[in-house]
């Protein structure tokens, strides 16, 4: 299936609105946020500080009387410069975000948007990494794909088992804080993945410009499912 057909497949999976956060949060309470390298306001903020970045995000949410700030797919960001995790083995800087971020409060409940099976999970402890992450496997009309949930709480993976199943809308975990989530303000990194390439409990959520063509095809826009 080519990328265009797969994108149409994702759009057609459900006629209902799909959610990874509490579905009682009205979509009017979701506000886009720009964290790209071209955002001038961020140039005056120490984005290496979880508290200062969190203050920027929370002020944006309050300003718009929202509950959730979202965005970031294919966004080029300076946030990752603070961590060698993204650049220590790369010939080119990895700074292009491959998922969508949903910025909201610590311990916010996270839900499976579709019927799913736990493929894998892991506590990714590198500075700037996901922290606890869960990868779910989905199968519809003989098409298999995966969704990744990063920056969760430790409790989210404590009693989890590979092969465990979740119904659509069933809670899978909660958001962690900066002490466990890679040192970020609380948020969910949600990513769609076609081919995990053998990865277990982890998959690149940021890529370099050289690799963008592959990852853009392998990790389509999460808004195709969530309709953000």
């Amino acid at each position: 299936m080519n990328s265009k057909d797969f994108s149409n497949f994702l759009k057609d999976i459900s006629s209902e609105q799909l959610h990874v956060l509490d579905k009682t949060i009205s979509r009017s309470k979701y506000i886009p946020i720009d964290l790209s390298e071209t955002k001038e306001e961020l140039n005056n903020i120490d984005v290496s500080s979880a508290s200062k970045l969190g203050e920027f995000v929370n002020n944006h949410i309050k300003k718009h009387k929202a509950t959730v700030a979202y965005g970031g797919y294919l966004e080029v960001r300076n946030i990752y410069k603070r961590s060698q995790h993204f650049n220590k083995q790369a010939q080119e800087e990895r700074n292009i975000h491959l998922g969508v971020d949903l910025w909201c409060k610590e311990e916010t409940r996270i839900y499976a948007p579709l019927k799913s099976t736990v493929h894998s999970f892991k506590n990714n402890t590198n500075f700037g990494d996901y922290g606890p992450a869960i990868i779910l496997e989905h199968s519809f009309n003989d098409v298999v794909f995966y969704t990744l949930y990063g920056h969760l709480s430790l409790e989210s993976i404590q009693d989890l088992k590979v092969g465990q199943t979740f119904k659509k809308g069933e809670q899978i975990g909660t958001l962690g804080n900066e002490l466990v989530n890679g040192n970020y303000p609380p948020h969910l990194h949600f990513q769609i993945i076609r081919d995990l390439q053998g990865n277990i409990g982890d998959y690149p959520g940021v890529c370099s410009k050289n690799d963008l063509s592959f990852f853009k095809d392998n990790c389509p826009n999460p808004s195709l499912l969530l309709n953000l």
Side-chain angles (χ1 to χ4, degrees), residues 33-169:
I33 190 168
D34 179 2
L35 297 177
S36 69
E37 63 178 3
T38 59
K39 183 70 172 179
E40 292 186 6
E41 291 177 63
L42 286 179
N43 294 332
N44 300 318
I45 294 173
D46 179 9
V47 294
S48 68
S49 166
S51 61
K52 291 181 180 179
L53 179 60
E55 184 178 359
F56 174 82
V57 172
N58 289 333
N59 285 341
H60 181 78
I61 291 172
K62 290 177 184 177
K63 177 181 177 181
H64 295 277
K65 299 180 180 180
T67 303
V68 181
Y70 72 92
Y73 181 64
L74 301 187
E75 196 168 67
V76 181
R77 294 174 167 177
N78 284 329
I79 295 172
Y80 308 115
K81 292 181 183 295
R82 68 190 184 130
S83 173
Q84 291 185 351
H85 171 65
F86 296 100
N87 303 298
K88 61 184 177 181
Q89 295 176 333
Q91 295 180 346
E92 185 183 21
E93 181 180 9
R94 290 201 295 140
N95 60 358
I96 303 173
H97 191 248
L98 298 170
V100 65
D101 286 332
L102 299 163
W103 304 86
C104 44
K105 293 181 179 179
E106 173 187 347
E107 297 185 358
T108 293
R109 295 177 181 179
I110 306 303
Y111 298 87
L114 300 163
K115 180 177 70 174
S116 51
T117 302
V118 176
H119 172 274
S120 53
F121 56 92
K122 181 182 176 184
N123 186 10
N124 301 276
T125 57
N126 291 301
F127 179 73
D129 209 332
Y130 290 129
I134 297 173
I135 296 177
L136 299 181
E137 180 177 318
H138 312 278
S139 180
F140 288 86
N141 299 328
D142 297 322
V143 178
V144 175
F145 66 99
Y146 306 88
T147 51
L148 183 150
Y149 307 78
H151 310 297
L152 303 177
S153 64
L154 286 170
E155 291 76 14
S156 300
I157 62 173
Q158 199 166 43
D159 298 316
L160 202 60
K161 294 179 175 61
V162 171
Q164 182 175 339
T165 59
F166 287 104
K167 298 176 182 178
K168 176 183 175 181

